[in-house]
Amino acid sequence: MSKVPTTVITGFLGAGKTTLIRHLLQNAHGRRLALIINEFGDVGVDGELVKGCNEDSCPEDDIVELANGCICCTVADDFLPTMMKLLDRPNPPEHIIIETSGLALPKPLVKAFQWPDIRTRATVDGVVALIDADAVAAGRFATDEAALAAARAADPMLDHESPLEELFEEQLGCADMVVLNKTDLVEAGEVERVERIVASETRPGVKIIRANHGAVDIAALLGIVAAAEDDLDSRKSHIDGLDEDHDHDDFESFVAAGGEVTDLDALLERLGALITQHDVLRIKGMVAVAGKPGRLVVQAVGPRIQHFYDRAWAPSEERRTQLVVIGQKGLDRQAIKSGLALVLGASAA
């Protein structure tokens, strides 16, 4: 019996993983796909955005959401049972796609494919790391070498790596292919500089391809045949040699909720101010706008805020606004919720 190929799509918060997957589903060319989505936060946003993209290739029953924390920390409890259910189906999928949380370490997930119940039935076809070119160009993930050299000169014992830098290195170090996304937001010369930064963190031979809006041909991403679970030693990690258990205590998330928003411009302006003031990494969610039949999707990465209507609210749905706020540990939740309360149509809970 041939193994079911599985593609792991990793990448930091807001890199465009869900947009990439929507593109894959809409251009599946008849392949029967299943999708496992893992989110950091209590409200599943990404799963909502891909449902209905292509009912023939990936019906809603084949989209599984895991929202109990990062998949790399819940392999035994969440991921393995989910994989077994997909593989045990009378007509299993031809290819499984896993979208990890933006905070997940890919190597523990790849290692899970060595488990006896999985390794004879599924294989990691490839690990694809999606990188936000604009964020790297702005220095939000990669180390500023000049600043690092100055800091080390002042304090040789300094541990220079931030949690963001470690995640950037982990995701690139495990990748079989890198998609440099959002290159349309970066000047040509800067894209080349970002590519050099990214290449310095990848293994020899890993291809880097450029993309805008996650538009990558499915033939380029599926069918890498890396069998990554058999090649773990070449994928260096900060957790190598440490206890298998790890956590994400450096990050936290919460949900700000409210009713219908009457002034969308005021909401966007307030979000921008709060992101800057509190150094928020990511905001994403659904907004109910008064007088509009469509559901508004809000996606904020650092100072960039995007919004679009994805579909009409269903008659059975409550028109309610829910925004997931993600940042490094120490976020002033009460200040952020209070700052949003006046524009969310009801008290931000």
Side-chain angles (χ1 to χ4, degrees):
M1 181 176 64
S2 61
K3 299 181 182 181
V4 176
T6 303
T7 296
V8 176
I9 298 180
T10 185
F12 193 66
L13 302 164
K17 296 186 297 296
T18 304
T19 303
L20 173 71
I21 288 172
R22 282 178 61 92
H23 179 80
L24 291 180
L25 296 184
Q26 290 167 348
N27 297 275
H29 305 307
R31 299 190 193 203
R32 287 183 294 103
L33 306 175
L35 178 59
I36 299 175
I37 297 177
N38 177 224
E39 295 201 60
F40 187 85
D42 297 326
V43 175
V45 177
D46 295 349
E48 280 293 312
L49 291 176
V50 299
K51 288 176 180 175
C53 281
N54 187 335
E55 283 293 329
D56 292 331
S57 287
C58 189
E60 192 167 318
D61 287 347
D62 285 343
I63 299 174
V64 183
E65 295 181 79
L66 302 178
N68 297 325
C70 278
I71 197 170
C72 61
C73 302
T74 59
V75 165
D77 294 334
D78 292 325
F79 168 68
L80 291 173
T82 298
M83 280 292 292
M84 293 305 298
K85 287 180 181 178
L86 289 175
L87 296 172
D88 286 341
R89 290 185 175 184
N91 189 25
E94 294 176 28
H95 202 113
I96 298 171
I97 299 173
I98 302 173
E99 178 193 350
T100 71
S101 154
L103 301 178
L105 309 181
K107 189 169 181 177
L109 176 59
V110 174
K111 190 174 183 179
F113 280 76
Q114 294 182 335
W115 283 49
D117 290 341
I118 299 293
R119 71 171 297 116
T120 59
R121 304 177 64 189
T123 180
V124 181
D125 180 68
V127 178
V128 176
L130 199 64
I131 298 297
D132 183 334
D134 185 45
V136 176
R140 291 206 293 272
F141 304 150
T143 301
D144 183 330
E145 295 296 339
L148 172 57
R152 279 178 169 165
D155 183 1
M157 300 301 292
L158 182 68
D159 180 5
H160 73 280
E161 288 184 314
S162 73
L164 301 186
E165 290 165 8
E166 287 194 4
L167 274 169
F168 181 76
E169 294 166 3
E170 291 279 343
Q171 292 171 351
L172 285 174
C174 196
D176 296 291
M177 176 176 287
V178 176
V179 176
L180 198 59
N181 199 31
K182 305 185 183 181
T183 54
D184 56 315
L185 302 178
V186 183
E187 294 182 1
E190 279 291 274
V191 173
E192 293 175 359
R193 183 178 68 86
V194 169
E195 280 191 348
R196 290 194 295 271
I197 292 172
V198 169
S200 71
E201 300 294 345
T202 61
R203 297 174 300 128
V206 171
K207 299 296 184 184
I208 300 174
I209 59 177
R210 300 181 184 184
N212 299 325
H213 309 292
V216 180
D217 193 318
I218 191 170
L221 296 186
L222 309 189
I224 297 174
V225 197
E229 70 275 12
D230 296 328
D231 184 34
L232 286 173
D233 289 344
S234 75
R235 303 165 194 265
K236 302 303 180 185
S237 169
H238 290 272
I239 63 170
D240 286 341
L242 301 178
D243 191 294
E244 288 293 321
D245 292 333
H246 57 280
D247 54 42
H248 296 283
D249 287 344
D250 294 315
F251 302 93
E252 61 180 292
S253 71
F254 63 91
V255 178
E260 292 192 347
V261 172
T262 57
D263 189 337
L264 177 57
D265 290 338
L267 171 63
L268 297 175
E269 183 178 347
R270 184 63 57 88
L271 287 175
L274 291 171
I275 287 169
T276 300
Q277 182 181 353
H278 296 281
D279 196 22
V280 174
L281 294 173
R282 181 91 159 98
I283 295 178
K284 60 180 178 178
M286 311 298 182
V287 176
V289 181
K292 299 290 185 180
R295 184 180 70 172
L296 186 75
V297 178
V298 172
Q299 302 266 21
V301 185
R304 275 200 324 265
I305 303 176
Q306 298 175 316
H307 57 93
F308 59 91
Y309 291 98
D310 74 325
R311 63 167 175 80
W313 289 94
S316 59
E317 289 181 297
E318 180 184 4
R319 290 177 59 93
R320 181 169 174 77
T321 297
Q322 290 187 301
L323 297 172
V324 179
V325 181
I326 304 173
Q328 292 186 263
K329 190 173 182 179
L331 279 179
D332 190 338
R333 298 189 183 200
Q334 192 53 52
I336 295 172
K337 286 187 175 184
S338 296
L340 289 172
L342 294 178
V343 291
L344 285 186
S347 178

